[in-house]
PDB file of all heavy atoms in Angstrom:
ATOM      1  N   VAL A   1      43.525   5.995 -12.239  1.00 97.00           N
ATOM      2  CA  VAL A   1      42.768   7.059 -11.582  1.00 97.00           C
ATOM      3  C   VAL A   1      43.613   8.327 -11.646  1.00 97.00           C
ATOM      4  O   VAL A   1      44.816   8.282 -11.386  1.00 97.00           O
ATOM      5  CB  VAL A   1      42.466   6.713 -10.110  1.00 97.00           C
ATOM      6  CG1 VAL A   1      41.703   7.857  -9.438  1.00 97.00           C
ATOM      7  CG2 VAL A   1      41.687   5.415 -10.006  1.00 97.00           C
ATOM      8  N   PHE A   2      42.994   9.438 -11.999  1.00 96.00           N
ATOM      9  CA  PHE A   2      43.730  10.694 -12.097  1.00 96.00           C
ATOM     10  C   PHE A   2      43.492  11.563 -10.864  1.00 96.00           C
ATOM     11  O   PHE A   2      42.406  11.586 -10.289  1.00 96.00           O
ATOM     12  CB  PHE A   2      43.307  11.474 -13.342  1.00 96.00           C
ATOM     13  CG  PHE A   2      43.676  10.803 -14.634  1.00 96.00           C
ATOM     14  CD1 PHE A   2      42.705  10.189 -15.407  1.00 96.00           C
ATOM     15  CD2 PHE A   2      44.995  10.772 -15.062  1.00 96.00           C
ATOM     16  CE1 PHE A   2      43.031   9.572 -16.602  1.00 96.00           C
ATOM     17  CE2 PHE A   2      45.338  10.148 -16.250  1.00 96.00           C
ATOM     18  CZ  PHE A   2      44.357   9.545 -17.024  1.00 96.00           C
ATOM     19  N   ILE A   3      44.543  12.268 -10.482  1.00 95.00           N
ATOM     20  CA  ILE A   3      44.462  13.222  -9.379  1.00 95.00           C
ATOM     21  C   ILE A   3      45.520  14.280  -9.644  1.00 95.00           C
ATOM     22  O   ILE A   3      46.404  14.089 -10.491  1.00 95.00           O
ATOM     23  CB  ILE A   3      44.672  12.506  -8.018  1.00 95.00           C
ATOM     24  CG1 ILE A   3      44.213  13.384  -6.848  1.00 95.00           C
ATOM     25  CG2 ILE A   3      46.124  12.064  -7.857  1.00 95.00           C
ATOM     26  CD1 ILE A   3      44.139  12.618  -5.515  1.00 95.00           C
ATOM     27  N   GLU A   4      45.467  15.410  -8.942  1.00 92.00           N
ATOM     28  CA  GLU A   4      46.352  16.514  -9.307  1.00 92.00           C
ATOM     29  C   GLU A   4      47.814  16.308  -8.919  1.00 92.00           C
ATOM     30  O   GLU A   4      48.694  16.982  -9.451  1.00 92.00           O
ATOM     31  CB  GLU A   4      45.838  17.839  -8.714  1.00 92.00           C
ATOM     32  CG  GLU A   4      45.907  17.935  -7.207  1.00 92.00           C
ATOM     33  CD  GLU A   4      44.621  17.524  -6.528  1.00 92.00           C
ATOM     34  OE1 GLU A   4      43.948  16.592  -7.004  1.00 92.00           O
ATOM     35  OE2 GLU A   4      44.283  18.143  -5.493  1.00 92.00           O
ATOM     36  N   GLY A   5      48.114  15.403  -8.007  1.00 94.00           N
ATOM     37  CA  GLY A   5      49.508  15.199  -7.622  1.00 94.00           C
ATOM     38  C   GLY A   5      49.677  13.963  -6.758  1.00 94.00           C
ATOM     39  O   GLY A   5      48.697  13.439  -6.207  1.00 94.00           O
ATOM     40  N   VAL A   6      50.920  13.516  -6.601  1.00 96.00           N
ATOM     41  CA  VAL A   6      51.140  12.320  -5.783  1.00 96.00           C
ATOM     42  C   VAL A   6      50.941  12.609  -4.294  1.00 96.00           C
ATOM     43  O   VAL A   6      50.537  11.720  -3.541  1.00 96.00           O
ATOM     44  CB  VAL A   6      52.538  11.703  -6.032  1.00 96.00           C
ATOM     45  CG1 VAL A   6      52.687  11.241  -7.462  1.00 96.00           C
ATOM     46  CG2 VAL A   6      53.652  12.644  -5.646  1.00 96.00           C
ATOM     47  N   VAL A   7      51.215  13.821  -3.849  1.00 97.00           N
ATOM     48  CA  VAL A   7      51.000  14.132  -2.434  1.00 97.00           C
ATOM     49  C   VAL A   7      49.503  14.098  -2.090  1.00 97.00           C
ATOM     50  O   VAL A   7      49.111  13.473  -1.097  1.00 97.00           O
ATOM     51  CB  VAL A   7      51.641  15.478  -2.057  1.00 97.00           C
ATOM     52  CG1 VAL A   7      51.288  15.854  -0.619  1.00 97.00           C
ATOM     53  CG2 VAL A   7      53.161  15.412  -2.213  1.00 97.00           C
ATOM     54  N   PRO A   8      48.632  14.725  -2.888  1.00 96.00           N
ATOM     55  CA  PRO A   8      47.200  14.533  -2.638  1.00 96.00           C
ATOM     56  C   PRO A   8      46.781  13.063  -2.704  1.00 96.00           C
ATOM     57  O   PRO A   8      45.881  12.638  -1.972  1.00 96.00           O
ATOM     58  CB  PRO A   8      46.539  15.344  -3.762  1.00 96.00           C
ATOM     59  CG  PRO A   8      47.526  16.399  -4.091  1.00 96.00           C
ATOM     60  CD  PRO A   8      48.865  15.738  -3.947  1.00 96.00           C
ATOM     61  N   ALA A   9      47.433  12.285  -3.561  1.00 97.00           N
ATOM     62  CA  ALA A   9      47.109  10.860  -3.653  1.00 97.00           C
ATOM     63  C   ALA A   9      47.473  10.136  -2.366  1.00 97.00           C
ATOM     64  O   ALA A   9      46.736   9.247  -1.899  1.00 97.00           O
ATOM     65  CB  ALA A   9      47.836  10.231  -4.837  1.00 97.00           C
ATOM     66  N   ILE A  10      48.613  10.488  -1.771  1.00 98.00           N
ATOM     67  CA  ILE A  10      49.013   9.874  -0.501  1.00 98.00           C
ATOM     68  C   ILE A  10      48.001  10.209   0.584  1.00 98.00           C
ATOM     69  O   ILE A  10      47.548   9.331   1.345  1.00 98.00           O
ATOM     70  CB  ILE A  10      50.423  10.340  -0.106  1.00 98.00           C
ATOM     71  CG1 ILE A  10      51.461   9.740  -1.065  1.00 98.00           C
ATOM     72  CG2 ILE A  10      50.749   9.940   1.335  1.00 98.00           C
ATOM     73  CD1 ILE A  10      52.852  10.334  -0.921  1.00 98.00           C
ATOM     74  N   SER A  11      47.615  11.470   0.664  1.00 98.00           N
ATOM     75  CA  SER A  11      46.622  11.875   1.662  1.00 98.00           C
ATOM     76  C   SER A  11      45.282  11.188   1.429  1.00 98.00           C
ATOM     77  O   SER A  11      44.602  10.773   2.377  1.00 98.00           O
ATOM     78  CB  SER A  11      46.428  13.392   1.645  1.00 98.00           C
ATOM     79  OG  SER A  11      47.508  14.049   2.271  1.00 98.00           O
ATOM     80  N   THR A  12      44.910  11.039   0.160  1.00 98.00           N
ATOM     81  CA  THR A  12      43.650  10.369  -0.171  1.00 98.00           C
ATOM     82  C   THR A  12      43.677   8.917   0.295  1.00 98.00           C
ATOM     83  O   THR A  12      42.695   8.407   0.859  1.00 98.00           O
ATOM     84  CB  THR A  12      43.385  10.437  -1.679  1.00 98.00           C
ATOM     85  OG1 THR A  12      43.274  11.812  -2.077  1.00 98.00           O
ATOM     86  CG2 THR A  12      42.094   9.712  -2.047  1.00 98.00           C
ATOM     87  N   ALA A  13      44.787   8.228   0.066  1.00 98.00           N
ATOM     88  CA  ALA A  13      44.915   6.839   0.505  1.00 98.00           C
ATOM     89  C   ALA A  13      44.858   6.733   2.029  1.00 98.00           C
ATOM     90  O   ALA A  13      44.221   5.831   2.578  1.00 98.00           O
ATOM     91  CB  ALA A  13      46.221   6.244  -0.015  1.00 98.00           C
ATOM     92  N   ILE A  14      45.522   7.651   2.706  1.00 98.00           N
ATOM     93  CA  ILE A  14      45.493   7.660   4.170  1.00 98.00           C
ATOM     94  C   ILE A  14      44.067   7.836   4.666  1.00 98.00           C
ATOM     95  O   ILE A  14      43.605   7.133   5.575  1.00 98.00           O
ATOM     96  CB  ILE A  14      46.409   8.779   4.712  1.00 98.00           C
ATOM     97  CG1 ILE A  14      47.881   8.428   4.464  1.00 98.00           C
ATOM     98  CG2 ILE A  14      46.161   9.005   6.207  1.00 98.00           C
ATOM     99  CD1 ILE A  14      48.844   9.561   4.763  1.00 98.00           C
ATOM    100  N   GLN A  15      43.341   8.772   4.074  1.00 98.00           N
ATOM    101  CA  GLN A  15      41.966   9.049   4.498  1.00 98.00           C
ATOM    102  C   GLN A  15      41.018   7.899   4.168  1.00 98.00           C
ATOM    103  O   GLN A  15      40.104   7.595   4.936  1.00 98.00           O
ATOM    104  CB  GLN A  15      41.487  10.339   3.822  1.00 98.00           C
ATOM    105  CG  GLN A  15      42.224  11.583   4.289  1.00 98.00           C
ATOM    106  CD  GLN A  15      42.132  12.728   3.301  1.00 98.00           C
ATOM    107  OE1 GLN A  15      41.429  12.656   2.294  1.00 98.00           O
ATOM    108  NE2 GLN A  15      42.868  13.810   3.564  1.00 98.00           N
ATOM    109  N   ALA A  16      41.243   7.258   3.034  1.00 98.00           N
ATOM    110  CA  ALA A  16      40.320   6.216   2.581  1.00 98.00           C
ATOM    111  C   ALA A  16      40.520   4.887   3.300  1.00 98.00           C
ATOM    112  O   ALA A  16      39.551   4.131   3.478  1.00 98.00           O
ATOM    113  CB  ALA A  16      40.472   6.011   1.073  1.00 98.00           C
ATOM    114  N   PHE A  17      41.759   4.581   3.720  1.00 98.00           N
ATOM    115  CA  PHE A  17      42.051   3.228   4.186  1.00 98.00           C
ATOM    116  C   PHE A  17      42.568   3.139   5.620  1.00 98.00           C
ATOM    117  O   PHE A  17      42.910   2.055   6.089  1.00 98.00           O
ATOM    118  CB  PHE A  17      43.045   2.568   3.236  1.00 98.00           C
ATOM    119  CG  PHE A  17      42.510   2.453   1.838  1.00 98.00           C
ATOM    120  CD1 PHE A  17      42.897   3.350   0.852  1.00 98.00           C
ATOM    121  CD2 PHE A  17      41.586   1.474   1.510  1.00 98.00           C
ATOM    122  CE1 PHE A  17      42.389   3.271  -0.432  1.00 98.00           C
ATOM    123  CE2 PHE A  17      41.067   1.381   0.226  1.00 98.00           C
ATOM    124  CZ  PHE A  17      41.465   2.279  -0.746  1.00 98.00           C
ATOM    125  N   THR A  18      42.628   4.272   6.300  1.00 98.00           N
ATOM    126  CA  THR A  18      42.977   4.252   7.717  1.00 98.00           C
ATOM    127  C   THR A  18      42.036   5.190   8.460  1.00 98.00           C
ATOM    128  O   THR A  18      41.334   5.997   7.849  1.00 98.00           O
ATOM    129  CB  THR A  18      44.433   4.701   7.959  1.00 98.00           C
ATOM    130  OG1 THR A  18      44.575   6.094   7.602  1.00 98.00           O
ATOM    131  CG2 THR A  18      45.417   3.868   7.139  1.00 98.00           C
ATOM    132  N   LYS A  19      42.062   5.079   9.761  1.00 98.00           N
ATOM    133  CA  LYS A  19      41.273   6.006  10.577  1.00 98.00           C
ATOM    134  C   LYS A  19      42.210   6.731  11.534  1.00 98.00           C
ATOM    135  O   LYS A  19      43.380   6.358  11.692  1.00 98.00           O
ATOM    136  CB  LYS A  19      40.181   5.262  11.347  1.00 98.00           C
ATOM    137  CG  LYS A  19      40.651   4.190  12.292  1.00 98.00           C
ATOM    138  CD  LYS A  19      39.464   3.504  12.955  1.00 98.00           C
ATOM    139  CE  LYS A  19      39.901   2.474  13.993  1.00 98.00           C
ATOM    140  NZ  LYS A  19      40.640   1.340  13.386  1.00 98.00           N
ATOM    141  N   GLU A  20      41.720   7.786  12.163  1.00 98.00           N
ATOM    142  CA  GLU A  20      42.552   8.570  13.070  1.00 98.00           C
ATOM    143  C   GLU A  20      43.172   7.666  14.129  1.00 98.00           C
ATOM    144  O   GLU A  20      42.501   6.820  14.722  1.00 98.00           O
ATOM    145  CB  GLU A  20      41.739   9.679  13.734  1.00 98.00           C
ATOM    146  CG  GLU A  20      41.394  10.817  12.783  1.00 98.00           C
ATOM    147  CD  GLU A  20      40.852  12.035  13.509  1.00 98.00           C
ATOM    148  OE1 GLU A  20      41.033  12.123  14.750  1.00 98.00           O
ATOM    149  OE2 GLU A  20      40.264  12.910  12.843  1.00 98.00           O
ATOM    150  N   GLY A  21      44.476   7.851  14.340  1.00 98.00           N
ATOM    151  CA  GLY A  21      45.197   7.050  15.317  1.00 98.00           C
ATOM    152  C   GLY A  21      45.857   5.808  14.744  1.00 98.00           C
ATOM    153  O   GLY A  21      46.713   5.203  15.403  1.00 98.00           O
ATOM    154  N   ASP A  22      45.476   5.402  13.532  1.00 98.00           N
ATOM    155  CA  ASP A  22      46.112   4.237  12.903  1.00 98.00           C
ATOM    156  C   ASP A  22      47.566   4.542  12.558  1.00 98.00           C
ATOM    157  O   ASP A  22      47.935   5.688  12.287  1.00 98.00           O
ATOM    158  CB  ASP A  22      45.366   3.837  11.629  1.00 98.00           C
ATOM    159  CG  ASP A  22      44.119   3.015  11.901  1.00 98.00           C
ATOM    160  OD1 ASP A  22      43.938   2.586  13.049  1.00 98.00           O
ATOM    161  OD2 ASP A  22      43.333   2.804  10.955  1.00 98.00           O
ATOM    162  N   ALA A  23      48.371   3.496  12.532  1.00 98.00           N
ATOM    163  CA  ALA A  23      49.799   3.654  12.248  1.00 98.00           C
ATOM    164  C   ALA A  23      50.076   3.594  10.749  1.00 98.00           C
ATOM    165  O   ALA A  23      49.609   2.687  10.053  1.00 98.00           O
ATOM    166  CB  ALA A  23      50.597   2.582  12.972  1.00 98.00           C
ATOM    167  N   VAL A  24      50.847   4.565  10.275  1.00 98.00           N
ATOM    168  CA  VAL A  24      51.295   4.626   8.873  1.00 98.00           C
ATOM    169  C   VAL A  24      52.821   4.686   8.885  1.00 98.00           C
ATOM    170  O   VAL A  24      53.410   5.518   9.572  1.00 98.00           O
ATOM    171  CB  VAL A  24      50.717   5.853   8.144  1.00 98.00           C
ATOM    172  CG1 VAL A  24      51.233   5.907   6.710  1.00 98.00           C
ATOM    173  CG2 VAL A  24      49.190   5.821   8.166  1.00 98.00           C
ATOM    174  N   LEU A  25      53.466   3.808   8.120  1.00 98.00           N
ATOM    175  CA  LEU A  25      54.926   3.679   8.161  1.00 98.00           C
ATOM    176  C   LEU A  25      55.585   4.299   6.940  1.00 98.00           C
ATOM    177  O   LEU A  25      55.086   4.173   5.813  1.00 98.00           O
ATOM    178  CB  LEU A  25      55.307   2.203   8.270  1.00 98.00           C
ATOM    179  CG  LEU A  25      56.796   1.866   8.406  1.00 98.00           C
ATOM    180  CD1 LEU A  25      57.001   0.697   9.362  1.00 98.00           C
ATOM    181  CD2 LEU A  25      57.427   1.544   7.040  1.00 98.00           C
ATOM    182  N   ILE A  26      56.720   4.955   7.170  1.00 98.00           N
ATOM    183  CA  ILE A  26      57.559   5.481   6.094  1.00 98.00           C
ATOM    184  C   ILE A  26      59.014   5.108   6.399  1.00 98.00           C
ATOM    185  O   ILE A  26      59.368   4.849   7.548  1.00 98.00           O
ATOM    186  CB  ILE A  26      57.428   7.014   5.955  1.00 98.00           C
ATOM    187  CG1 ILE A  26      57.897   7.722   7.235  1.00 98.00           C
ATOM    188  CG2 ILE A  26      55.997   7.400   5.610  1.00 98.00           C
ATOM    189  CD1 ILE A  26      57.888   9.251   7.140  1.00 98.00           C
ATOM    190  N   ASN A  27      59.845   5.077   5.362  1.00 98.00           N
ATOM    191  CA  ASN A  27      61.284   4.860   5.543  1.00 98.00           C
ATOM    192  C   ASN A  27      61.981   6.208   5.542  1.00 98.00           C
ATOM    193  O   ASN A  27      61.872   6.960   4.573  1.00 98.00           O
ATOM    194  CB  ASN A  27      61.861   4.009   4.408  1.00 98.00           C
ATOM    195  CG  ASN A  27      61.177   2.671   4.238  1.00 98.00           C
ATOM    196  OD1 ASN A  27      60.511   2.436   3.236  1.00 98.00           O
ATOM    197  ND2 ASN A  27      61.339   1.786   5.195  1.00 98.00           N
ATOM    198  N   THR A  28      62.712   6.524   6.598  1.00 98.00           N
ATOM    199  CA  THR A  28      63.374   7.821   6.686  1.00 98.00           C
ATOM    200  C   THR A  28      64.879   7.672   6.556  1.00 98.00           C
ATOM    201  O   THR A  28      65.434   6.636   6.906  1.00 98.00           O
ATOM    202  CB  THR A  28      63.041   8.506   8.020  1.00 98.00           C
ATOM    203  OG1 THR A  28      63.416   7.655   9.097  1.00 98.00           O
ATOM    204  CG2 THR A  28      61.563   8.830   8.120  1.00 98.00           C
ATOM    205  N   PRO A  29      65.549   8.732   6.030  1.00 98.00           N
ATOM    206  CA  PRO A  29      65.003  10.019   5.598  1.00 98.00           C
ATOM    207  C   PRO A  29      64.217   9.875   4.294  1.00 98.00           C
ATOM    208  O   PRO A  29      64.550   9.030   3.463  1.00 98.00           O
ATOM    209  CB  PRO A  29      66.254  10.881   5.381  1.00 98.00           C
ATOM    210  CG  PRO A  29      67.320   9.881   5.031  1.00 98.00           C
ATOM    211  CD  PRO A  29      67.023   8.667   5.842  1.00 98.00           C
ATOM    212  N   VAL A  30      63.197  10.723   4.141  1.00 98.00           N
ATOM    213  CA  VAL A  30      62.353  10.611   2.956  1.00 98.00           C
ATOM    214  C   VAL A  30      61.682  11.949   2.669  1.00 98.00           C
ATOM    215  O   VAL A  30      61.628  12.839   3.525  1.00 98.00           O
ATOM    216  CB  VAL A  30      61.308   9.487   3.136  1.00 98.00           C
ATOM    217  CG1 VAL A  30      60.186   9.931   4.092  1.00 98.00           C
ATOM    218  CG2 VAL A  30      60.733   9.017   1.797  1.00 98.00           C
ATOM    219  N   TYR A  31      61.182  12.074   1.452  1.00 97.00           N
ATOM    220  CA  TYR A  31      60.467  13.254   0.963  1.00 97.00           C
ATOM    221  C   TYR A  31      59.528  13.800   2.044  1.00 97.00           C
ATOM    222  O   TYR A  31      58.645  13.088   2.531  1.00 97.00           O
ATOM    223  CB  TYR A  31      59.702  12.828  -0.278  1.00 97.00           C
ATOM    224  CG  TYR A  31      58.910  13.884  -1.002  1.00 97.00           C
ATOM    225  CD1 TYR A  31      59.467  15.112  -1.332  1.00 97.00           C
ATOM    226  CD2 TYR A  31      57.600  13.623  -1.408  1.00 97.00           C
ATOM    227  CE1 TYR A  31      58.731  16.058  -2.021  1.00 97.00           C
ATOM    228  CE2 TYR A  31      56.860  14.566  -2.102  1.00 97.00           C
ATOM    229  CZ  TYR A  31      57.432  15.787  -2.402  1.00 97.00           C
ATOM    230  OH  TYR A  31      56.704  16.725  -3.092  1.00 97.00           O
ATOM    231  N   PRO A  32      59.707  15.068   2.469  1.00 97.00           N
ATOM    232  CA  PRO A  32      58.989  15.619   3.619  1.00 97.00           C
ATOM    233  C   PRO A  32      57.466  15.470   3.624  1.00 97.00           C
ATOM    234  O   PRO A  32      56.883  15.242   4.697  1.00 97.00           O
ATOM    235  CB  PRO A  32      59.408  17.097   3.614  1.00 97.00           C
ATOM    236  CG  PRO A  32      60.750  17.090   2.970  1.00 97.00           C
ATOM    237  CD  PRO A  32      60.693  16.024   1.912  1.00 97.00           C
ATOM    238  N   PRO A  33      56.757  15.603   2.479  1.00 97.00           N
ATOM    239  CA  PRO A  33      55.297  15.475   2.540  1.00 97.00           C
ATOM    240  C   PRO A  33      54.781  14.111   3.011  1.00 97.00           C
ATOM    241  O   PRO A  33      53.618  13.999   3.383  1.00 97.00           O
ATOM    242  CB  PRO A  33      54.863  15.754   1.094  1.00 97.00           C
ATOM    243  CG  PRO A  33      55.920  16.660   0.567  1.00 97.00           C
ATOM    244  CD  PRO A  33      57.187  16.123   1.158  1.00 97.00           C
TER     245      PRO A  33
END
């Protein structure tokens, strides 16, 4: 699947597979976006 960048892809995945208030995990420190 093509998209303009990996940051829009991350946001797209968040929007498609979670809802407001759901928990999303990252390992820090990490790329700010």
Side-chain angles (χ1 to χ4, degrees):
V1 179
F2 294 106
I3 196 169
E4 68 266 36
V6 297
V7 174
I10 291 169
S11 284
T12 299
I14 290 171
Q15 293 159 6
F17 299 101
T18 66
K19 59 182 184 295
E20 287 192 16
D22 279 349
V24 178
L25 183 142
I26 62 176
N27 304 113
T28 57
V30 75
Y31 182 49

